[in-house]
Amino acid sequence: MPSTAQIAPSETGDGLMWNHMLTLYAHVEHSLGTALQRRHGLGLSEYRALDLLAGADDGELRMQDLAARLGLNQSSVTRLVSRLNAAGYTYRDLCPDDKRGVYTVITDAGRARHREARSTYAQVLSTALDEAAQQNPLLSTLLTTARPLFTTSP
């Protein structure tokens, strides 16, 4: 029997679980990204940015907060917001208290695009999760256990 030091991390229980979750993540992200781009002309990060902004107080977030919530670095979120600005979905505004602070604010057009894409996102997400559960019994168990935890309001 090999010693623990000779077992690859991907062969441990946590490693196997994580690999299955990464497979699930990749499948869902690809499905969402493809559908949003084809049906609404939005990238997945663009949709998520609009989603965060639509749910934010006054429809605005500081750039660094948006970057943190999206899991992007500052230069990536700057490019993302530039695309949203060019499409008329957001605009930049200076922080009144700190002129160095920049906010991204969702526009009415951005809210409309978000509303249009929201049902696609929800439908494709559910379908992708269902497909993954059908293809992999381990993911089926995980999703069957996890889904009810998130269907009730806190």
Side-chain angles (χ1 to χ4, degrees):
M1 177 170 177
S3 72
T4 306
Q6 295 172 331
I7 298 173
S10 62
E11 295 174 2
T12 66
D14 283 348
L16 290 170
M17 177 197 64
W18 187 243
N19 285 338
H20 282 282
M21 291 178 73
L22 288 173
T23 300
L24 173 64
Y25 174 80
H27 173 70
V28 171
E29 291 286 285
H30 175 74
S31 298
L32 288 169
T34 299
L36 288 168
Q37 188 64 52
R38 286 183 181 162
R39 297 180 195 173
H40 304 283
L42 286 174
L44 188 51
S45 292
E46 293 166 341
Y47 171 81
R48 288 187 175 138
L50 290 176
D51 192 52
L52 289 168
L53 290 166
D57 293 338
D58 299 324
E60 63 183 27
L61 288 170
R62 288 181 74 117
M63 289 286 284
Q64 65 263 29
D65 293 335
L66 184 59
R69 291 181 188 185
L70 290 171
L72 297 174
N73 62 40
Q74 194 65 41
S75 63
S76 293
V77 85
T78 297
R79 289 190 303 275
L80 169 71
V81 168
S82 292
R83 290 191 304 273
L84 292 172
N85 288 348
Y89 300 146
T90 62
Y91 66 90
R92 291 183 186 172
D93 197 15
L94 292 178
C95 176
D97 302 329
D98 176 7
K99 296 300 180 194
R100 296 170 298 165
V102 178
Y103 282 90
T104 300
V105 185
I106 193 168
T107 64
D108 289 341
R111 286 185 188 281
R113 180 52 54 110
H114 174 256
R115 272 192 307 276
E116 293 165 4
R118 189 173 43 205
S119 62
T120 297
Y121 184 92
Q123 181 268 320
V124 171
L125 175 60
S126 292
T127 299
L129 291 172
D130 291 344
E131 290 169 355
Q134 289 173 357
Q135 294 170 5
N136 185 325
L138 294 173
L139 290 177
S140 178
T141 301
L142 174 70
L143 292 168
T144 300
T145 303
R147 276 178 155 169
L149 299 174
F150 297 95
T151 57
T152 57
S153 300

